[in-house]
Amino acid sequence: MSPQTDAGQIDAAIESRIRQRVETLPAGLQAHIGRAQDLARELAPFHGVDPHRAALGILAHDVARAMPGPELIARANVFQLPIKPVEEKVPLLLHGPVGAEILRVEDGLAARGDGADLYQAVYWHTTFHPSLVDDMGKVVFLADKLDPNKRKRIPYQPEIMELALEDLDAAILEFLRRQVQSLTAAGKEVHPMMLEARDSLAARVRGTLL
């Protein structure tokens, strides 16, 4: 399948500001972004996604990842983002929404129109979301999880990668199923959006099999 034309072009100045933000992140986080970009570029052509667009989504996805919990909570309040109880307990879960809002408010990324796919990819890259139907966002979600350095935490990466080459929805559904099982077994609270996304994807995948 040949890559599709971008839904919209991100202004070069916005892309430059994203790159400048990433250059201020800790070295380990920058290395993760680089590895995930390689994976995004690898997956994108299988699904008609522009590899540059997918790599840009990965470049942007962790701009708020290094923020301490209190700062994430404070930023979420400033941006008037809803904060769920599980996010109060684990503020790191807010780094996607906070990062997307930073890119929108401070860097001029449109949340609708040309920048919508990038905004949504950053916003939901941790839990996924039923409304994230754009394949670029799905590639970003999976590339983040398939970083080889996360193999100890996600030992089933090979199965996810095999599915991802064929069917993004099936790969994400399998990841969410396994992640929910792992968190539940460890006695940890599961983000409600992850459960909603799992159930929505399960219904969607079942529908394609009918």
Side-chain angles (χ1 to χ4, degrees), residues 138-153:
K138 295 175 184 179
V139 167
V140 168
F141 181 87
L142 287 167
D144 173 47
K145 307 303 182 286
L146 290 168
D147 175 359
N149 279 31
K150 294 184 177 182
R151 181 68 179 272
K152 185 174 181 180
R153 183 155 48 92

Side-chain angles (χ1 to χ4, degrees), residues 4-210:
Q4 63 194 17
T5 303
D6 288 351
Q9 295 293 327
I10 295 297
D11 184 274
I14 294 176
E15 183 170 346
S16 177
R17 287 194 285 273
I18 293 172
R19 293 189 183 281
Q20 289 172 9
R21 284 190 182 279
V22 171
E23 288 171 359
T24 69
L25 296 175
L29 191 51
Q30 291 189 50
H32 157 65
I33 289 170
R35 291 188 298 271
Q37 281 188 304
D38 289 342
L39 284 159
R41 293 188 188 99
E42 180 181 352
L43 282 174
F46 286 90
H47 303 286
V49 174
D50 178 7
H52 176 77
R53 188 77 163 192
L56 181 58
I58 285 291
L59 183 73
H61 84 288
D62 268 350
V63 293
R65 177 64 176 77
M67 288 183 180
E71 185 176 357
L72 285 169
I73 294 288
R75 289 280 197 135
N77 284 323
V78 168
F79 293 137
Q80 298 184 323
L81 293 170
I83 301 176
K84 300 184 183 301
V86 66
E87 293 165 340
E88 292 179 345
K89 298 174 186 175
V90 187
L92 184 60
L93 293 168
L94 287 167
H95 79 274
V98 168
E101 281 294 286
I102 287 173
L103 295 175
R104 181 184 70 84
V105 174
E106 299 180 13
D107 293 342
L109 177 68
R112 297 181 180 179
D114 289 353
D117 59 343
L118 186 60
Y119 177 89
Q120 293 294 326
V122 174
Y123 198 107
W124 296 116
H125 80 268
T126 299
T127 62
F128 202 71
H129 190 277
S131 69
L132 193 59
V133 296
D134 182 87
D135 282 350
M136 192 278 282
K138 295 175 184 179
V139 167
V140 168
F141 181 87
L142 287 167
D144 173 47
K145 307 303 182 286
L146 290 168
D147 175 359
N149 279 31
K150 294 184 177 182
R151 181 68 179 272
K152 185 174 181 180
R153 183 155 48 92
I154 309 174
Y156 44 89
Q157 280 182 342
E159 295 94 320
I160 301 301
M161 184 63 178
E162 184 176 355
L163 285 170
L165 294 172
E166 298 292 333
D167 187 326
L168 295 173
D169 284 353
I172 294 169
L173 175 57
E174 184 64 14
F175 171 81
L176 292 175
R177 282 174 173 163
R178 301 247 196 158
Q179 183 72 350
V180 168
Q181 289 172 357
S182 176
L183 290 170
T184 302
K188 296 180 180 179
E189 187 173 355
V190 180
H191 196 292
M193 190 51 64
M194 184 172 286
L195 295 171
E196 186 176 335
R198 179 201 61 185
D199 294 344
S200 175
L201 274 173
R204 190 184 308 169
V205 170
R206 279 198 304 271
T208 63
L209 297 175
L210 295 178

